[in-house]
Amino acid sequence: MKALMQANDFFEKLTVLGTGNAQALACYNTCFTLSGTDCDGEHLLVDAGGGNGILLQLKKAGIPLSAIHHIFVTHEHCDHVLGVIWLIRAIATAMLKNTYTGILHIYCHKQLALNLEQMCRFTLQKKITDLFTTKIMFHFVDEEPDAILLGKSVHFFSIHSTKALQYGFSLQLSCGKKLTCLGDEPLNDLCAPFVANAGWVLSEAFCLYSEREKFKPYEKHHSTVKEACLMASSYQVKNLVLWHTEDSDIAHRRERYTAEGHKFYSGNLFVPDDLDVIELS
């Protein structure tokens, strides 16, 4: 895949757009961007949540649609993919009005790309879907797992999901550290090389271990704070971000998750709220 844009200082900042699981109402579904330090610069968007709330979250974060030319979609579940339809609609409309410059590139596995196209054809006007292959382009990460995004090398990998085909990714930050996104399932041992000694790991943690009987994360193929932190400790991860959580006590989630997490992990633990910005150093 050819380089789509060159930049010297990208992937220095993580903007958290959502932190909740599929049924969360007190926060948006988990999605985020990676970018440089300039909010007006380009952003790599990872997932888009479950609806048009993605447009509001981007607005609140100060990220214009014109700054998004690259979207990675991890998998097909509604809380990750439906927001992509709204973004395609909004960006395509801007394209037709000549207020959006360039091409929108969407990265996902091939079957998901086909499904997304079909969903768009069912729900969007033909003048929008006519932009596919010319202004809105899909890239199949299961066929081309390596890409240059915003001047940085990104490697996409199957997380060996137990539910639906899903991809995570690993890349090198501007500071030189490795960042790995594991999608929304616990680490599969086959993916261990992507987290070993990583500077940053982005992991789901559905609930506290102490509340596992209440929220039943294992039935949903998710883990708890304890397991995510034990994983990070085992692989000597320097910084761990936990999200994709239940939302029963958002006001105290950071405090409670951090307290449990530090029982099993001594590195830097982040439990962000929606719209938090994390400097990646």
Side-chain angles (χ1 to χ4, degrees), residues 16 27 34 52 61 67 72 75 81 93 183 198 206-207 237 241:
V16 182
C27 55
L34 294 171
N52 68 351
F72 169 55
H75 64 299
V81 75
T93 299
F206 195 88
C207 65
V237 172
V241 178

mmCIF file of all heavy atoms in Angstrom, residues 16 27 34 52 61 67 72 75 81 93 183 198 206-207 237 241:
data_model
loop_
_atom_site.group_PDB
_atom_site.id
_atom_site.type_symbol
_atom_site.label_atom_id
_atom_site.label_comp_id
_atom_site.label_asym_id
_atom_site.label_seq_id
_atom_site.Cartn_x
_atom_site.Cartn_y
_atom_site.Cartn_z
ATOM 1 N N VAL A 16 -9.850 10.238 23.100
ATOM 2 C CA VAL A 16 -10.847 9.228 23.444
ATOM 3 C C VAL A 16 -12.229 9.772 23.100
ATOM 4 O O VAL A 16 -12.690 10.741 23.706
ATOM 5 C CB VAL A 16 -10.772 8.874 24.938
ATOM 6 C CG1 VAL A 16 -11.792 7.791 25.280
ATOM 7 C CG2 VAL A 16 -9.366 8.428 25.307
ATOM 8 N N CYS A 27 -22.190 6.823 28.463
ATOM 9 C CA CYS A 27 -21.014 7.211 27.685
ATOM 10 C C CYS A 27 -21.195 6.663 26.280
ATOM 11 O O CYS A 27 -22.075 5.830 26.034
ATOM 12 C CB CYS A 27 -19.721 6.700 28.319
ATOM 13 S SG CYS A 27 -19.685 4.913 28.619
ATOM 14 N N LEU A 34 -5.988 8.703 16.773
ATOM 15 C CA LEU A 34 -4.564 8.918 16.990
ATOM 16 C C LEU A 34 -4.129 10.058 16.077
ATOM 17 O O LEU A 34 -4.532 10.123 14.908
ATOM 18 C CB LEU A 34 -3.756 7.660 16.676
ATOM 19 C CG LEU A 34 -3.995 6.451 17.582
ATOM 20 C CD1 LEU A 34 -3.289 5.222 17.026
ATOM 21 C CD2 LEU A 34 -3.522 6.733 19.001
ATOM 22 N N ASN A 52 -25.100 8.049 15.097
ATOM 23 C CA ASN A 52 -24.671 9.391 14.710
ATOM 24 C C ASN A 52 -24.077 10.168 15.871
ATOM 25 O O ASN A 52 -23.622 11.296 15.707
ATOM 26 C CB ASN A 52 -25.801 10.173 14.047
ATOM 27 C CG ASN A 52 -26.926 10.518 15.012
ATOM 28 O OD1 ASN A 52 -26.956 10.040 16.151
ATOM 29 N ND2 ASN A 52 -27.865 11.320 14.543
ATOM 30 N N ALA A 61 -14.794 17.109 20.529
ATOM 31 C CA ALA A 61 -13.342 16.952 20.607
ATOM 32 C C ALA A 61 -12.604 17.970 19.748
ATOM 33 O O ALA A 61 -11.363 18.029 19.783
ATOM 34 C CB ALA A 61 -12.952 15.538 20.188
ATOM 35 N N ALA A 67 -10.493 16.607 8.786
ATOM 36 C CA ALA A 67 -9.241 16.100 9.340
ATOM 37 C C ALA A 67 -9.222 14.577 9.404
ATOM 38 O O ALA A 67 -8.274 13.996 9.927
ATOM 39 C CB ALA A 67 -9.010 16.666 10.740
ATOM 40 N N PHE A 72 -10.116 3.053 10.528
ATOM 41 C CA PHE A 72 -9.929 1.611 10.689
ATOM 42 C C PHE A 72 -11.105 1.063 11.477
ATOM 43 O O PHE A 72 -11.444 1.582 12.544
ATOM 44 C CB PHE A 72 -8.622 1.305 11.416
ATOM 45 C CG PHE A 72 -8.481 -0.134 11.840
ATOM 46 C CD1 PHE A 72 -8.608 -1.160 10.912
ATOM 47 C CD2 PHE A 72 -8.239 -0.469 13.160
ATOM 48 C CE1 PHE A 72 -8.490 -2.494 11.297
ATOM 49 C CE2 PHE A 72 -8.112 -1.795 13.561
ATOM 50 C CZ PHE A 72 -8.240 -2.806 12.617
ATOM 51 N N HIS A 75 -14.183 -4.542 13.593
ATOM 52 C CA HIS A 75 -15.052 -5.684 13.324
ATOM 53 C C HIS A 75 -16.487 -5.233 13.119
ATOM 54 O O HIS A 75 -16.794 -4.042 13.182
ATOM 55 C CB HIS A 75 -14.957 -6.733 14.431
ATOM 56 C CG HIS A 75 -15.427 -6.290 15.774
ATOM 57 N ND1 HIS A 75 -14.864 -5.249 16.474
ATOM 58 C CD2 HIS A 75 -16.428 -6.738 16.585
ATOM 59 C CE1 HIS A 75 -15.463 -5.091 17.635
ATOM 60 N NE2 HIS A 75 -16.437 -5.975 17.722
ATOM 61 N N VAL A 81 -19.424 -0.335 14.242
ATOM 62 C CA VAL A 81 -19.494 -0.119 12.805
ATOM 63 C C VAL A 81 -20.594 0.843 12.351
ATOM 64 O O VAL A 81 -20.453 1.495 11.315
ATOM 65 C CB VAL A 81 -19.664 -1.489 12.084
ATOM 66 C CG1 VAL A 81 -21.090 -2.022 12.233
ATOM 67 C CG2 VAL A 81 -19.278 -1.406 10.627
ATOM 68 N N THR A 93 -21.333 13.823 1.706
ATOM 69 C CA THR A 93 -22.090 15.055 1.480
ATOM 70 C C THR A 93 -21.149 16.246 1.346
ATOM 71 O O THR A 93 -21.328 17.113 0.472
ATOM 72 C CB THR A 93 -23.080 15.286 2.635
ATOM 73 O OG1 THR A 93 -24.001 14.181 2.695
ATOM 74 C CG2 THR A 93 -23.850 16.576 2.450
ATOM 75 N N GLY A 183 -8.398 -4.538 20.060
ATOM 76 C CA GLY A 183 -9.813 -4.683 19.761
ATOM 77 C C GLY A 183 -10.622 -4.768 21.040
ATOM 78 O O GLY A 183 -10.297 -4.134 22.034
ATOM 79 N N ALA A 198 5.505 -3.751 25.126
ATOM 80 C CA ALA A 198 4.926 -2.606 24.425
ATOM 81 C C ALA A 198 4.921 -1.375 25.319
ATOM 82 O O ALA A 198 4.767 -1.466 26.545
ATOM 83 C CB ALA A 198 3.501 -2.922 23.975
ATOM 84 N N PHE A 206 -14.343 -5.191 30.669
ATOM 85 C CA PHE A 206 -15.798 -5.029 30.717
ATOM 86 C C PHE A 206 -16.288 -4.541 32.068
ATOM 87 O O PHE A 206 -17.231 -3.751 32.159
ATOM 88 C CB PHE A 206 -16.464 -6.358 30.362
ATOM 89 C CG PHE A 206 -17.920 -6.242 30.030
ATOM 90 C CD1 PHE A 206 -18.330 -5.980 28.732
ATOM 91 C CD2 PHE A 206 -18.889 -6.388 31.006
ATOM 92 C CE1 PHE A 206 -19.670 -5.866 28.428
ATOM 93 C CE2 PHE A 206 -20.235 -6.275 30.705
ATOM 94 C CZ PHE A 206 -20.628 -6.014 29.419
ATOM 95 N N CYS A 207 -15.651 -5.005 33.137
ATOM 96 C CA CYS A 207 -16.099 -4.636 34.478
ATOM 97 C C CYS A 207 -15.007 -4.970 35.486
ATOM 98 O O CYS A 207 -13.970 -5.541 35.139
ATOM 99 C CB CYS A 207 -17.388 -5.379 34.842
ATOM 100 S SG CYS A 207 -17.187 -7.177 34.977
ATOM 101 N N VAL A 237 4.114 -4.497 29.932
ATOM 102 C CA VAL A 237 3.573 -3.337 29.234
ATOM 103 C C VAL A 237 3.787 -2.100 30.102
ATOM 104 O O VAL A 237 3.532 -2.122 31.303
ATOM 105 C CB VAL A 237 2.071 -3.538 28.944
ATOM 106 C CG1 VAL A 237 1.449 -2.270 28.384
ATOM 107 C CG2 VAL A 237 1.881 -4.706 27.979
ATOM 108 N N VAL A 241 -4.236 1.188 28.769
ATOM 109 C CA VAL A 241 -5.487 1.934 28.702
ATOM 110 C C VAL A 241 -6.636 0.935 28.735
ATOM 111 O O VAL A 241 -6.687 0.001 27.921
ATOM 112 C CB VAL A 241 -5.569 2.788 27.421
ATOM 113 C CG1 VAL A 241 -6.908 3.528 27.350
ATOM 114 C CG2 VAL A 241 -4.408 3.782 27.355
#
